Amino acid sequence: MKKRIVSVIMAATLAASLTACGGSGTTGSSSSATTEKSEAMESVADVSNSADLTDKANIDNSVERESITIAWKAGTTLEPWGTNNDIPGNYEVYEMLYEVTADGERYGVLADESKGSFAPGCDHEDGTGIYTIYIYDYITDHNGNAVTADDIAFSYNYQFNNQITSGWDDFVEATAIDDTTVQFEFTKEQTNLGWFDNFFARCFIVDEDSFNASSSKLANDMVGTGPYKFVSYSSGSSLVVEKNDDYWQTDESLRHQEQQANVRTITYQFISENAQRENAVATGSVDMVQDMAYDSLTEFVDGGKYSDLVKVQAYSQKFIYYLDANCSDESPMGDENLRLAVYNAVDQDGIITALGGAYSRLYAYANDYYSDYTMVDWASLDNYNTKTSVDADVVQGYLDASNYNGETLTIMVNPEFADTATIIAAQLAAFGINAELLQVDAATGNTTLADPGAWDMYFGLMAGDYNVQAWAHDFSYNNSSSGAETTTHIVDDEWNDLLNLCNTEDGHTAENMQAWWEMAVEHGYTMGVYAGNNYNVVPADCVYVCQGDKLTFLPGACCFSEQ
């Protein structure tokens, strides 16, 4: 997955253009929030360390740092079930059958990849829902218990039966065949895109004896198989883990970077408030910060007074922020030429600048957070999503060819993103396209979206495990109430069929993805606008930042130079 090097843009305001848009009643625009945000960030310089911090050429595991204190979001439980709860230390104390790198590469951890013919470490009976996983015969947890196939089955069945899963609807049961062989039964053969990772790389493995021996059932302590082991925990305050010198995987050739332990002791300090995080870095009480707020970066990037203490790594968030068109006959946007006029009039870089530079532009309805991003060179395609500037003649040409007569178009948006929608309305106003905002919460938004007469454009955000799965949320007939059109009221069977093909293991190809997107921009169905960014703060001696599946920050697997 290509990790775009994010340069934080020094902001300039668009106050003059923002005053061009207004509204009344349930519609309206934001106030001066955008201008204030821009002015607040004028002193932010470039985040210039990102390239080096993610360059694998800088991986060097020869230096062991004695300790790291990292500011993490508040933690109130250590339960190891599920992978969406951002519990600190889970990816370093516990392990799974398989795990996935930040680049989307799957690798076996407990699974023995020297066996199996369906996939490394896995066999499958064609035409059935039966899958068999083989594990190493020398796995031990931090209590010294041997981890066998019975423990694999226990972990999966416990997590599933307690409904701490997502996308496991077809799973039936896991059964140990012998000490190193586990059989997984599904109601049908699994052919959907990403199912393997979403199942076999989404369950931390816990020894059943260790689970039962824990008085809190591992809510207040941790016992796993990973390169780090539990030391202490104070709910809402801190977690301490230390290097596991008896780590079961002694074969270095079978260890991936994510399994390294380059720090002797890691303290997760639970600090949610951004000002406290900023002060903790400035005073040296924390060495790292997981996801420092953008507004708090000023003094830590190049040119800031604390820039010599730390480095800042920028990376994309998983969300795709987009502008959808209502393609029904009940909306003026049902006119293809008007849609193309609108999308050609939207200036993505201008939006990002007005918002203070906290976002990165998109070249398609696709985000480099996802591993399938590099399958297509989106930026090289010639369409309204890749334009470097707004061409007034192109916009006017589409407007002249449309049936637009000055109607006021309704942009539906969650109040949280009203600033963006206000800027879009101002950009459209420059071409005589009138627009007003309809601000709705999520629940109301779903109801409004289903009414083709209630809105004309929708600014929102979407995510999935792959870009194509994010597409499917809005654009597959399968996700609409009628099953005969998209949620944005597009009726294009060829486009729908191609999307559903892209969303299968065999059909997820660069050719199909590019063809689907080229159909989307040809007809003006949607536009990717921007992606948000996250920022990790690391000490000055850090030379490589390791992030795992879902870009989880792994402080122990980072690399350091001699202090």
Side-chain angles (χ1 to χ4, degrees), residues 11 25 48 83 127 146 168 201 221 227 251 325 350 361 378 384 402 409 419 444 492:
S48 60
T83 57
W168 287 20
D221 58 334
D251 187 341
R361 69 159 297 160
W378 309 102
Y384 54 72
S402 75
L409 305 177
D419 283 358
T444 306
D492 187 332

Side-chain angles (χ1 to χ4, degrees), residues 72 77-82 84-91 222 239:
W72 204 268
T77 181
L78 299 178
E79 288 185 343
W81 311 113
N84 293 322
N85 42 23
D86 201 30
I87 291 175
N90 263 2
Y91 274 90
M222 311 173 84
L239 164 71

Side-chain angles (χ1 to χ4, degrees), residues 26 98-99 112 116-117 123 190 199 248 253 329 356 375 391 419:
T26 57
Y98 297 86
E99 296 186 27
D112 184 352
S117 58
D123 276 328
Q190 299 296 288
F199 187 80
W248 66 274
S253 69
D329 292 337
M375 292 174 67
D391 188 325
D419 283 358

